[in-house]
Amino acid sequence: MTRIVHISDLHFGRTDVELLDPLVDAVNATQADLVAVTGDFTQRARNSQYRDARAFLDRFEAPWLAVPGNHDISLDNLWLRLMRPFRRYRDHICNDLFPVHRGDGFVAVGLNTVDQYRWQRGRIRWRQMRNACKIFSDSDEAIRVVLAHHPFEQDQDVKKSLMPKAEKAIEQLAECGAHLLLSGHLHRWRAEPFLSRKHGAQVLQIHVGTGLSTRLRGQENDFAVLDLDADEAKVTRMVARGEQFVPAGSRSFQFGEDGWRDRQDARSLGTGRGL
C-alpha cells in the first residue's frame, strides 16, 4: 500500500495562520510515503512569502515533491516575470522544474504548467510530457502519478480558461500509462476519472482546494489522502473544521480493463462533483 498526501494552493501571504499547525500535524499524522504539493506556494511570489512556504515544507516528516503555480511567478514585476519567472521558486522551493520521485512501488513526476506570458491560464510543455511518458514506459513501478498546478479538465461553471490542448495531453498521458493526475488552481474539490476518447477512464484526477488560503471560493480548506494499490485507489478528503482537519468522506476506485471505476457511493459532502 502506498499513501500520498496531496495539498495545494497554500498562498503564503494570504493564509489562515490558525490552520498552519493543524495542517502540518494532520499531514504528519498520515505517515505518508510522499507529500505532493501542486503549486501556488505564495500569493505574490515575494521572497518573504517563499521563506515562509519553505519553513512550512521543512516541517513535514515525509519526503515531498512540488511544482510551481501561477502565483509563484511575479505578477507586479514584469521584468522578473518574463525574464526570470522561476528564479525565486528555484531559490526557495526546488531548483528542478521537472521533479521525479521514486518510492516503493510508485513513481511521481511533476509537470510545470505555468505560463509567464498568460499568467492565469497555464500551458502544456510537450518536452516534459514526452519525458514523463518515457519515465513511465521504462518504469517497473506499479503506480504512476503526475503532478501539475493547472487542471486538465474542469466543470462548465468554472470561469477560468482551461489550458490549450489539455484533452490531447490527457490522451498522451493515458497512452503512456499514467494512473493519477493531481492538480489544484481552482480552489475546489474533484475526484473522478478523466473520460478520454481513446483510452476511456485510464487516468484518475484528484483535484484539491486550498490547504491554507483565506480565498475559499465557497468550499472549506482541504487536502487529500490517497491510499493506493496497483489496481485500487481510496481517496479521503480532509477538511478544516475549527482548528483541525478531519475526514469528510472517502471514495474508492477500482482499476480494470476499462480503466477506473467507482467502487462505492461517496458520502454527501455538499460541495462540487466527485467526493
Side-chain angles (χ1 to χ4, degrees), residues 41-84:
F41 288 88
T42 68
Q43 181 66 16
R44 284 291 179 261
R46 294 181 179 135
N47 282 314
S48 60
Q49 295 170 2
Y50 268 121
R51 285 193 290 269
D52 289 343
R54 183 54 193 249
F56 175 80
L57 290 177
D58 288 342
R59 296 175 64 188
F60 290 147
E61 296 170 358
W64 52 265
L65 190 74
V67 293
N70 58 295
H71 277 264
D72 296 324
I73 62 174
S74 180
L75 177 64
D76 45 16
N77 185 327
L78 186 61
W79 183 89
L80 188 64
R81 171 155 59 98
L82 297 180
M83 303 305 295
R84 295 184 177 179

Side-chain angles (χ1 to χ4, degrees), residues 1 4 8 14 24 30 49 57 61 87-88 100 128 135 138 154 156-157 167 184 205 219 221 224 231 255 262 265 267:
M1 176 75 73
I4 296 177
S8 193
R14 187 74 183 272
V24 171
T30 67
Q49 295 170 2
L57 290 177
E61 296 170 358
R87 188 187 69 182
R88 291 177 179 175
V100 179
Q128 287 195 350
I135 289 171
D138 296 342
Q154 58 194 34
Q156 292 182 354
D157 65 332
E167 185 176 357
Q205 60 178 311
Q219 297 191 11
N221 295 96
D231 60 354
F255 190 82
D262 196 342
D265 291 331
R267 299 177 187 175

Side-chain angles (χ1 to χ4, degrees), residues 115-268:
D115 185 350
Q116 66 265 43
Y117 302 107
R118 294 177 177 84
W119 185 75
Q120 187 72 253
R121 186 173 67 174
R123 69 183 178 96
I124 308 294
R125 288 174 167 80
W126 296 102
R127 178 177 294 180
Q128 287 195 350
M129 289 283 294
R130 290 192 294 271
N131 289 340
C133 282
K134 186 177 188 307
I135 289 171
F136 292 156
S137 298
D138 296 342
S139 175
D140 293 329
E141 286 83 2
I143 303 167
R144 306 178 189 98
V145 183
V146 177
L147 282 66
H149 178 64
H150 293 82
F152 287 59
E153 183 179 275
Q154 58 194 34
D155 294 327
Q156 292 182 354
D157 65 332
V158 174
K159 296 180 180 180
K160 294 182 179 180
S161 298
L162 187 66
M163 285 190 298
K165 300 183 180 179
E167 185 176 357
K168 178 182 176 182
I170 285 297
E171 299 284 358
Q172 184 169 326
L173 288 172
E175 187 170 340
C176 66
H179 293 124
L180 293 97
L181 198 159
L182 315 182
S183 59
H185 186 56
L186 300 180
H187 293 208
R188 63 163 66 186
W189 176 272
R190 193 178 191 184
E192 61 187 27
F194 290 100
L195 296 179
S196 150
R197 288 179 297 178
K198 295 180 181 178
H199 303 284
Q202 178 79 23
V203 183
L204 179 65
Q205 60 178 311
I206 309 298
H207 188 89
V208 297
T210 169
L212 290 173
S213 176
T214 56
R215 303 169 72 220
L216 294 175
R217 298 176 186 166
Q219 297 191 11
E220 302 108 322
N221 295 96
D222 68 13
F223 71 92
V225 179
L226 315 177
D227 291 310
L228 309 171
D229 281 325
D231 60 354
E232 186 173 350
K234 180 182 178 182
V235 184
T236 301
R237 187 184 185 207
M238 303 289 293
V239 302
R241 299 280 166 80
E243 295 183 12
Q244 61 181 333
F245 284 82
V246 299
S250 62
R251 189 173 179 184
S252 293
F253 300 88
Q254 186 76 38
F255 190 82
E257 293 182 359
D258 297 327
W260 293 102
R261 290 292 180 266
D262 196 342
R263 288 195 60 185
Q264 64 184 27
D265 291 331
R267 299 177 187 175
S268 176

Side-chain angles (χ1 to χ4, degrees), residues 7-42:
I7 63 176
S8 193
D9 294 82
L10 301 169
H11 287 282
F12 278 89
R14 187 74 183 272
T15 57
D16 183 343
V17 295
E18 294 183 351
L19 291 180
L20 283 171
D21 289 344
L23 182 56
V24 171
D25 292 343
V27 170
N28 286 340
T30 67
Q31 298 183 316
D33 298 292
L34 179 70
V35 178
V37 192
T38 53
D40 276 1
F41 288 88
T42 68

